[in-house]
Amino acid sequence: MPVFQAQGLRHYARLEGRPDATPLLLLHPIGADHSLFDKVVPLLLPQFQVFRPDLRGHGGSEVPPQDCTLADLAGDVLALTQQLGWDRFAACGVSLGGLAVLRAAIDAPQRVSSLALCSSAAVMAPPPGGWDQRAAVAREQGLAGLASGMVERMFSAVHRSRQDPQVETLRRVFLHTHPEGYARCVAVLRDADLRPDLQRVQAPTLVMHGALDGLITPEKIDVLCSGIPGARQRRFDCGHFPPVEAPEAFADALTQALAVG
């Protein structure tokens, strides 16, 4: 797994596929790592060279010394892809990862050729008790205090009943996420509001969501689709993590939307 230095931090990532294929960055949500896309990547490699960094404070990436901003995460995206020699690339992010690639597309429109946002919103609704309480629980109890609720929220009841082993894998990844790294990124979910900047997106954009996602409502999807010029929508019969519950449909949607840009 390659190691990169960007914006003063160490970042871990995976790079797979042919160098002559369409460059595609995949960015995971909070409390996960690059393995969220394990089912999807083999389906994408015929068309894409795929780069999967771990968000700062997650997986093998270094924990930042202060709370993160969305500009920090977007800056990581742009700096890491520049190190690969990707002057222009397609980007897809899930939840917090979607906010980061959206900010990158707004800040550097000449770099992002096409964009896919999955299970994301221009403003993320706070959980019961608020985002600061969520960060405090992580710091005081570790991620164990949040793990059971994470599985309930992120996966549909139908998928949980299938006993997919990746659900348990992602639960373990969540449990082993550095509590401070998680809390630092919670600040992004607390503070981000991209509504004023949606009209600045120039990249062709696909907005994806799960019909059974209890976190991202249809109204939030409508805000993205109406605010981003020309945005298209794709809905899957699943919960918050389509790359896990509906990998074939997710990969097909990405291939159709992002291969040319």
Side-chain angles (χ1 to χ4, degrees):
M1 188 183 299
V3 181
F4 300 82
Q5 291 288 331
Q7 301 199 119
L9 295 175
R10 183 188 67 252
H11 299 259
Y12 276 74
R14 292 193 67 174
L15 178 66
E16 299 160 278
R18 307 186 327 271
D20 62 336
T22 300
L24 169 62
L25 175 133
L26 299 177
L27 200 59
H28 64 82
I30 193 169
D33 66 6
H34 67 274
S35 67
L36 182 91
F37 299 103
D38 279 353
K39 290 183 177 181
V40 173
V41 169
L43 305 174
L44 296 174
L45 290 180
Q47 186 67 48
F48 299 98
Q49 185 180 38
V50 179
F51 183 55
R52 293 186 279 168
D54 288 340
L55 287 168
R56 52 174 60 196
H58 288 68
S61 292
E62 190 174 356
V63 176
Q66 64 277 322
D67 283 351
C68 302
T69 67
L70 191 53
D72 291 331
L73 301 187
D76 291 342
V77 166
L78 297 172
L80 291 168
T81 51
Q82 193 68 64
Q83 288 187 42
L84 294 176
W86 287 5
D87 294 329
R88 193 163 167 81
F89 59 95
C92 171
V94 176
S95 196
L96 176 58
L99 293 178
V101 299
L102 177 55
R103 182 78 257 172
I106 292 167
D107 292 345
Q110 75 282 5
R111 299 282 314 281
V112 180
S113 60
S114 49
L115 183 64
L117 309 173
C118 180
S119 305
S120 292
V123 178
M124 299 297 279
W131 289 117
D132 288 338
Q133 183 185 62
R134 176 67 56 85
V137 170
R139 289 180 167 118
E140 294 166 7
Q141 303 178 23
L143 277 295
L146 302 170
S148 295
M150 183 278 293
V151 173
E152 292 290 327
R153 290 188 304 273
M154 300 303 161
F155 298 100
S156 67
V158 172
H159 195 74
R160 294 197 306 272
S161 72
R162 293 173 181 155
Q163 298 184 330
D164 179 355
Q166 195 176 10
V167 173
E168 177 58 23
T169 296
L170 290 171
R171 190 184 74 86
R172 290 199 301 270
V173 169
F174 184 83
L175 285 169
H176 286 91
T177 299
H178 196 291
E180 193 61 33
Y182 179 90
R184 298 292 193 200
C185 284
V186 165
V188 180
L189 297 173
R190 179 193 66 202
D191 298 337
D193 184 354
L194 287 168
R195 289 174 296 183
D197 295 319
L198 294 179
Q199 75 279 1
R200 294 172 52 197
V201 177
Q202 298 180 22
T205 301
L206 176 66
V207 177
M208 301 180 287
H209 66 108
L212 306 177
D213 186 350
L215 299 179
I216 303 299
T217 64
E219 291 77 17
K220 291 184 178 297
I221 296 300
D222 289 343
V223 169
L224 286 178
C225 290
S226 62
I228 298 173
R232 293 165 293 145
Q233 183 179 155
R234 178 74 179 268
R235 184 173 66 178
F236 306 107
D237 187 22
C238 65
H240 194 62
F241 286 166
V244 178
E245 292 197 37
E248 294 85 2
F250 183 84
D252 181 67
L254 286 186
T255 300
Q256 293 185 39
L258 303 184
V260 179

